[in-house]
């Protein structure tokens, strides 16, 4: 039975009980009032008040003796009223119990509804979590599929690169065989030339005199003698320079390459590296310079970290990655990589020196990572018509003076012999330099790994007063800067 039905039932019972009580009280009062009137006698009444749970207003008279009138209230009437009241009381108690039970049921229903709502919320939450988990697993499946695709692509690419690498290895082996054959042929041609020369001049040609200087500073703890060149797998042409007579001159020139952004300034061009420093560029790196008489800008490495900065690097040797056995045009225009090994070019060096008074710094590094230097108070070159003749000032430093003997000499390459020797010093020393006959330094020679090397001629990167003629330097830099 619902709550509304029970409420209607309670209201009807209360209404019924109220009507019956009022009817009973009216009947009793009418009988009491009619009793004296009917008898016509004056009687004394004793009043008995019944106080049941229901309130009864007015007295109830019980006459003594026999009551001849049937309308008089008797004890049986009072007992009947009491029985009726007791019955109504029991019904009221029953109704109260029913109401209490119904109230408990209503509370339980409310609790059940609240729990039902909580359960619905929890079920909804679990459903959303399940939905999200399904979506996440689907996304993970898609990501896994994409990852598998990328792995397959990377595997395919690695296999392709491995195949390409094997092809390049085969080509490199073929080129190495060709180079070895060429070395043999060159050796045979040299022997043939010597025979022809001896038949024509009745004496064999001789190489330049070896450097006999015993340097004061000899690098110690040389690990081994070597005539091998340190090679990089990505720079295979360096292998060519380990041959007996050296590789043939190349014809490439200095090309402006796109440098790393961290070491390159897009500003300029400047007059020289000191002008770049005066403009606020205090970081060493690649800059564009344009000497006064130059038609096009040059890309150079500016060294701002030593001796006050402002140094323009005109030559760098560090790893044997660039072939320095080149012809006149190459040495005139320049070659190599500005952020690696390079030669600025005789024409550019000449026009730089024409702008004012410059000084020269030669920085040497041996295979014990020790650095020494030789500095000259003045430096410039004469024009090409004079063979870019070298002009130097006085020496100071701790490397020894191995360049003053070249002062006043013209530049010599394999195809333009300007030295004082009967032969060509560039042929024997495998580079271009201001040779005398042939001289005490060869900073553009062959880059040999390890320092001390074996060769028929002194063709390494040597500085006679530091290490002698058979010790090849690990690193060299030649720099110029305006005189303060």
């Amino acid at each position: 039975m619902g709550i509304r039905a029970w409420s209607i039932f309670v209201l009807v019972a209360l209404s019924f009980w109220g009507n019956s009580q009022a009817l009973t009280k009216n009947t009793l009062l009418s009988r009491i009032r009619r009793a004296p009137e009917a008898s016509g006698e004056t009687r004394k009444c004793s009043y008995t008040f019944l106080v049941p749970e229901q309130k009864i207003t007015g007295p109830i008279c019980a006459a003594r003796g026999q009551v001849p009138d049937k309308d008089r209230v008797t004890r049986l009437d009072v007992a009947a009223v009491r029985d009726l009241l007791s019955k109504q009381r029991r019904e009221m108690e029953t109704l109260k119990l029913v109401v209490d039970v119904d109230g408990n049921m209503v509370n339980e229903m409310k609790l059940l509804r609240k729990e039902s709502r909580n359960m619905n919320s929890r079920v909804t939450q679990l459903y959303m979590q399940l939905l999200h988990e399904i979506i996440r697993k689907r996304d993970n499946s898609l990501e896994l599929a994409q990852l598998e695709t990328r792995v397959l692509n990377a595997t395919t690419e690695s296999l392709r690169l491995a195949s390409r690498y094997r092809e390049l290895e085969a080509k490199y082996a073929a080129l190495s065989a060709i180079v070895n054959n060429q070395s043999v042929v060159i050796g045979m041609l040299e022997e043939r030339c010597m025979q022809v020369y001896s038949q024509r001049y009745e004496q064999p040609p001789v190489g330049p005199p070896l450097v006999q200087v015993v340097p004061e500073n000899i690098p110690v703890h040389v690990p081994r003698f070597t005539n091998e060149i340190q090679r990089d797998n990505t720079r295979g042409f360096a292998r060519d320079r380990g041959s007996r007579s050296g590789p043939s001159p190349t014809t490439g020139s200095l090309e402006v390459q796109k440098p790393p952004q961290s070491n390159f300034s897009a500003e300029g061009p400047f007059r020289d590296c000191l002008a770049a420093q005066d403009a606020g560029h205090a970081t060493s790196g690649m800059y564009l310079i344009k000497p006064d008489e130059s038609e096009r800008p040059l890309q150079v490495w500016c060294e701002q970290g030593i001796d006050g900065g402002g140094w323009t690097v005109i030559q760098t040797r560090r790893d044997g990655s660039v072939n320095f056995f080149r012809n006149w045009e190459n040495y005139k225009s320049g070659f190599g990589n500005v952020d690696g090994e390079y030669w600025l070019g005789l024409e550019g060096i000449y026009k730089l020196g024409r702008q004012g008074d410059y000084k020269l710094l030669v920085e040497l590094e041996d295979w014990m990572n020790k650095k020494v230097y030789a500095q000259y108070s003045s430096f410039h070159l004469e024009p090409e018509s004079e063979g870019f003749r070298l002009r130097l000032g006085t020496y100071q430093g701790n490397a020894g003076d191995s360049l003053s003997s070249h002062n006043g000499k013209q530049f010599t390459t394999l195809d333009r012999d300007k030295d004082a020797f009967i032969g060509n010093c560039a042929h024997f020393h495998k580079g271009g330099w201001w040779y005398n006959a042939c001289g005490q330094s060869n900073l553009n020679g062959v880059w040999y790994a390890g320092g001390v090397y074996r060769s028929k001629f002194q063709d390494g990167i040597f500085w006679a007063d530091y290490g002698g003629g058979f010790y090849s330097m690990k690193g060299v830099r030649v720099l110029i800067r305006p005189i303060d």
Side-chain angles (χ1 to χ4, degrees):
M1 183 180 294
I3 298 174
R4 294 184 60 185
W6 279 108
S7 301
I8 294 171
F9 176 76
V10 170
L11 291 176
V12 172
L14 290 174
S15 176
F16 175 76
W17 175 78
N19 292 334
S20 62
Q21 183 180 10
L23 181 60
T24 304
K25 289 190 290 183
N26 292 334
T27 303
L28 291 174
L29 289 175
S30 62
R31 288 180 179 180
I32 294 171
R33 287 173 183 174
R34 287 175 182 176
E37 293 177 0
S39 62
E41 297 177 356
T42 303
R43 296 171 182 253
K44 293 182 181 180
C45 297
S46 62
Y47 296 90
T48 301
F49 295 94
L50 300 177
V51 187
E53 187 174 357
Q54 294 81 8
K55 292 181 180 180
I56 298 175
T57 61
I60 299 175
C61 296
R64 294 180 180 178
Q66 296 181 352
V67 182
D69 193 354
K70 62 177 181 180
D71 292 330
R72 293 178 181 178
V73 177
T74 64
R75 293 182 183 274
L76 294 175
D77 294 331
V78 175
V81 172
R82 288 179 178 176
D83 291 338
L84 179 60
L85 292 176
S86 298
K87 182 180 180 181
Q88 290 178 352
R89 188 182 297 110
R90 288 192 298 271
E91 290 177 356
M92 290 296 296
E93 290 176 355
T94 303
L95 289 175
K96 286 183 180 180
L97 292 175
V98 171
V99 169
D100 292 339
V101 172
D102 289 345
N104 294 333
M105 291 181 65
V106 170
N107 292 332
E108 290 180 0
M109 288 296 296
K110 290 180 178 179
L111 292 174
L112 289 175
R113 286 181 178 179
K114 185 176 180 180
E115 291 180 359
S116 176
R117 288 194 294 270
N118 294 336
M119 290 297 294
N120 290 335
S121 300
R122 181 59 178 165
V123 169
T124 303
Q125 183 180 3
L126 292 175
Y127 175 76
M128 295 301 297
Q129 290 180 356
L130 179 61
L131 184 60
H132 291 162
E133 187 70 17
I134 292 173
I135 294 173
R136 188 181 64 82
K137 288 185 177 180
R138 185 185 65 182
D139 294 340
N140 290 340
S141 300
L142 292 176
E143 291 179 358
L144 182 60
Q146 293 175 357
L147 181 61
E148 289 178 351
T149 303
R150 288 198 294 268
V151 170
L152 291 175
N153 293 337
T155 304
T156 304
E157 183 67 15
S158 63
L159 292 176
R160 188 186 67 81
L161 291 176
S163 176
R164 178 62 177 166
Y165 178 75
R166 286 192 295 269
E167 292 177 0
L168 291 177
E169 277 189 336
K171 291 181 180 179
Y172 179 77
L175 290 175
S176 299
I178 294 174
V179 170
N180 292 333
N181 293 335
Q182 288 178 346
S183 300
V184 175
V185 172
I186 290 173
M188 295 173 60
L189 290 176
E190 285 184 344
E191 296 294 334
R192 180 61 179 169
C193 288
M194 293 178 64
Q195 293 176 3
V196 172
Y197 186 90
S198 61
Q199 292 176 2
R200 180 175 297 180
Y201 299 101
E202 297 181 356
Q203 59 180 357
V206 295
L210 301 178
V211 175
Q212 300 297 330
V213 175
V214 179
E216 297 180 0
N217 300 314
I218 300 178
V220 295
H221 303 299
V222 177
R224 61 187 176 87
F225 288 87
T226 178
N227 60 351
E228 298 176 357
I229 300 172
Q230 178 136 343
R231 297 180 291 269
D232 192 317
N233 291 332
T234 61
R235 295 164 176 172
F237 69 86
R239 298 174 182 266
D240 300 343
R241 298 168 60 188
S243 61
R244 177 169 169 257
S245 60
S248 60
T250 58
T251 58
S253 60
L254 181 63
E255 299 179 355
V256 177
Q257 300 180 357
K258 185 177 181 180
Q261 294 296 325
S262 59
N263 293 327
F264 175 72
S265 173
E267 299 183 19
F270 303 98
R271 191 167 181 261
D272 54 22
C273 289
L274 182 60
Q277 185 186 46
D278 293 339
H281 298 279
T283 303
S284 300
M286 288 178 279
Y287 293 84
L288 288 176
I289 66 170
K290 189 176 184 299
D292 293 341
E293 299 180 2
S294 180
E295 297 179 357
R296 61 184 180 87
L298 304 174
Q299 194 177 74
V300 300
W301 186 274
C302 292
E303 178 57 58
Q304 311 289 18
I306 60 172
D307 196 18
W311 292 92
T312 302
V313 180
I314 64 175
Q315 186 254 34
T316 301
R317 306 296 302 276
R318 64 171 63 169
D319 54 15
S321 60
V322 175
N323 185 1
F324 273 69
F325 191 26
R326 297 178 179 250
N327 57 24
W328 178 266
E329 287 300 322
N330 291 167
Y331 271 100
K332 176 182 175 182
S333 59
F335 55 86
N337 303 312
V338 177
D339 57 344
E341 291 194 341
Y342 84 107
W343 173 263
L344 178 59
L346 293 168
E347 188 70 25
I349 299 171
Y350 163 70
K351 291 181 178 178
L352 270 174
R354 291 268 297 175
Q355 297 183 124
D357 297 329
Y358 282 77
K359 57 185 177 181
L360 178 73
L361 174 65
V362 178
E363 185 182 75
L364 307 171
E365 181 181 5
D366 61 27
W367 287 90
M368 301 300 296
N369 298 321
K370 178 183 178 181
K371 290 185 178 181
V372 294
Y373 76 97
Q375 185 170 316
Y376 296 86
S377 60
S378 64
F379 165 83
H380 72 273
L381 300 181
E382 294 184 2
E384 184 179 10
S385 59
E386 293 295 325
F388 296 111
R389 193 183 305 273
L390 175 66
R391 296 299 181 185
L392 290 175
T394 57
Y395 159 83
Q396 66 174 359
N398 59 358
D401 183 10
S402 293
L403 194 58
S404 292
S405 61
H406 299 258
N407 190 20
K409 305 304 176 183
Q410 299 184 53
F411 201 85
T412 293
T413 60
L414 183 64
D415 57 339
R416 190 168 297 191
D417 187 2
K418 300 290 184 178
D419 57 54
F421 181 60
I422 188 174
N424 188 331
C425 292
H427 169 74
F428 295 103
H429 288 303
K430 306 299 183 296
W433 197 245
W434 295 277
Y435 293 114
N436 189 346
C438 287
Q440 302 296 304
S441 61
N442 185 41
L443 300 186
N444 288 337
V446 179
W447 190 88
Y448 288 111
V452 177
Y453 64 96
R454 290 192 179 98
S455 178
K456 183 177 181 180
F457 305 108
Q458 293 173 330
D459 54 5
I461 304 173
F462 68 83
W463 188 267
D465 286 87
Y466 189 83
F470 283 103
Y471 186 89
S472 185
M473 294 294 168
K474 179 182 180 180
V476 176
R477 288 201 305 177
V478 181
L479 312 90
I480 60 174
R481 183 186 188 277
I483 299 175
D484 297 330

